[in-house]
Every structure is written in structure tokens, then in C-alpha cells.
Amino acid sequence: MGYAAFFAVSMILVSSVAMATDHIVGDDDGWTLDFDYTQWAQDRVFRVGDNLVFIYDNISHNVFKVNGTMFKDCTNPPANEALSSGHDIIPLKTGGRKWYICGVDDHCAREMKLVINVQGEGSPSPAPSPAHG
């Protein structure tokens, strides 16, 4: 492979890695009670290769990755599946819907839960919503 071809391939690889985003769940508030995670996720674009970063008080909260039914019903998986470091980084490796809940007490029922839709590799960006006026 010539230098020019190697350089072109290298730039493509670097640009695709550079585009990965770390999404701090809840921004400055983090993973906590009394926060609207549906609103938080609404205007964000999640892509394969991005990371979800859950930052929270690990004495008071945890994170479970669940399926849609468990999310809706606030059903916790086995306790040993909890993420509980207080700074959990979850790589988004596949496209599709992803569901997360806090498994402590009634936190999920109190809306401490997050659902996102991850765009697969090569998915087009969503079209901007039309302007009103």
C-alpha cells in the first residue's frame, strides 16, 4: 500500500474514532432521583461507538441494563448484575433500544430510568424537526 493510500485509510479510522461521544447521563446532575431522563435523552443522538457514562452516589444508587419489559415493570435483574462503581462507562456496541434502571428501593418507579435508541453504524442522522412559524 502506498503512502497516500495508507494516509487516507488512517484519516478515516481516526475520524471515526474521534467522532465517538461520551454521554454523561443527566449531565451535571448525574444519575439521581428527581431528574427527567426522558427529556434529557430526547434531543441527543446515540451512535454505536459512543459511551454512556453513569456518575452517581454508589451508596444510594446503582445501574442495571434491562430489557423493555423489565424497564416498564421496574423489575430488577439478579443483584450481581448491578453496576455499582459510581462511575460506570457503558460502551454502545450495537444499535437499537437500550434500557437502564436504578435497582435501589423504589427509584425506578420514581422515574430513575433511561431508555435510548442507538443508531447503528452507517445510520443517517435524524432529520432536523421542521421550524414552526
Side-chain angles (χ1 to χ4, degrees):
M1 178 183 314
Y3 177 76
F6 175 77
F7 182 76
V9 169
S10 297
M11 291 310 297
I12 291 169
L13 292 173
V14 167
S15 67
S16 66
V17 169
M19 291 172 45
T21 301
D22 285 347
H23 300 277
I24 310 291
V25 176
D27 296 323
D28 291 339
D29 291 315
W31 185 235
T32 189
L33 288 169
D34 303 318
F35 189 89
D36 187 343
Y37 292 101
T38 300
Q39 180 72 34
W40 175 83
Q42 183 176 341
D43 295 324
R44 285 179 167 70
V45 178
F46 302 93
R47 293 186 173 88
V48 169
D50 289 355
N51 294 308
L52 280 183
V53 181
F54 288 87
I55 299 173
Y56 56 94
D57 172 0
N58 68 345
I59 305 248
S60 303
H61 306 296
N62 62 20
V63 179
F64 281 107
K65 185 176 189 305
V66 295
N67 63 34
T69 301
M70 295 170 86
F71 178 86
K72 182 175 74 63
D73 297 339
C74 286
T75 304
N76 292 340
N80 66 350
E81 293 181 21
L83 301 175
S84 58
S85 75
H87 191 119
D88 302 314
I89 300 172
I90 300 174
L92 301 175
K93 296 179 181 178
T94 60
R97 278 189 139 359
K98 312 289 181 200
W99 300 270
Y100 304 91
I101 64 172
C102 179
V104 175
D105 298 331
D106 64 346
H107 294 188
C108 177
R110 292 173 58 193
E111 300 304 314
M112 193 170 169
K113 54 198 220 173
L114 170 68
V115 59
I116 63 171
N117 191 34
V118 179
Q119 294 184 4
E121 294 181 81
S123 294
S125 294
S129 55
H132 297 285

